[in-house]
Amino acid sequence: MSVKAHPLSRKARVLVPAVAAALLAATTAACDSDTTSEGTSDSVRTLTPDHSEHGESPSSPSEPTGSPSQEQSPRTQRSFAASVSAETERVRQEAVKRLDGVEGRGNAVADVSVSGLPVAASEEVRSARVRVTNPTDEPAFYAVKVEFVDAEDKVLDTVVVGVEDAPPDRTVDAQANSRKAAGVKTFPRVAQAERG
């Protein structure tokens, strides 16, 4: 007794490879488009101070060679840098507002320390590491005014930085950069610090 083939089975045999090929092409296209998007893990690494502020190479020992970070288009890098700059400026403006009404040195000078960062002679900025330790049990916003002074204690520049949501009982770093103090041996110090 012979078994009659179902009339759709021949069509199914033709359609299955075609559907599989279409799915494979769509998956490959989706993967390729992700390598230059702003949502890749490279954008997260760029947010770390070492990469975004010191201008170091985007690759690290844990990052495989040929990763998306090395292939990002200049436009994508510029747009991401612009969004980071806009966020930094928003936090800085908030810090300026909070320090505006503060009398004296503020309520958080004991929570903050600064230290100068080494720079090359060719660099156009002087930088200071701002370390904030939140001794409270809740996240807090810190507004810090840093003065860059020369060897004769003359203030060359004043820079305000903000630290948003500093975690409780932990230390976080920020960076204060001065163009006015570039090329001069300066010493950073905390002029004001307010926790709020």
Side-chain angles (χ1 to χ4, degrees), residues 76-119:
T76 301
Q77 290 172 347
R78 278 196 303 272
S79 63
F80 179 73
S83 68
V84 170
S85 295
E87 177 63 13
T88 301
E89 181 58 18
R90 182 192 69 75
V91 173
R92 191 191 74 77
Q93 289 290 343
E94 178 65 24
V96 168
K97 281 186 211 169
R98 293 191 187 207
L99 287 175
D100 193 33
V102 173
E103 292 183 17
R105 297 188 67 204
N107 66 8
V109 172
D111 301 351
V112 180
S113 66
V114 294
S115 57
L117 293 172
V119 293

Side-chain angles (χ1 to χ4, degrees), residues 31-133:
C31 290
D32 287 345
S33 67
D34 283 349
T35 60
T36 57
S37 75
E38 292 177 15
T40 63
S41 59
D42 177 61
S43 63
V44 175
R45 282 192 294 276
T46 308
L47 290 175
T48 63
D50 288 342
H51 298 308
S52 64
E53 295 169 9
H54 296 299
E56 292 179 359
S57 167
S59 61
S60 65
S62 63
E63 188 175 323
T65 54
S67 69
S69 66
Q70 296 173 0
E71 299 168 6
Q72 277 194 333
S73 71
R75 189 182 68 191
T76 301
Q77 290 172 347
R78 278 196 303 272
S79 63
F80 179 73
S83 68
V84 170
S85 295
E87 177 63 13
T88 301
E89 181 58 18
R90 182 192 69 75
V91 173
R92 191 191 74 77
Q93 289 290 343
E94 178 65 24
V96 168
K97 281 186 211 169
R98 293 191 187 207
L99 287 175
D100 193 33
V102 173
E103 292 183 17
R105 297 188 67 204
N107 66 8
V109 172
D111 301 351
V112 180
S113 66
V114 294
S115 57
L117 293 172
V119 293
S122 61
E123 288 190 291
E124 297 177 2
V125 295
R126 292 293 292 179
S127 298
R129 174 182 287 159
V130 180
R131 305 204 78 182
V132 174
T133 304

Side-chain angles (χ1 to χ4, degrees), residues 116-119 126 148-154 156 180-188:
L117 293 172
V119 293
R126 292 293 292 179
F148 289 85
V149 299
D150 64 13
E152 297 170 359
D153 208 37
K154 178 184 174 187
L156 301 178
K180 292 180 185 175
V184 181
K185 186 169 178 65
T186 57
F187 307 91

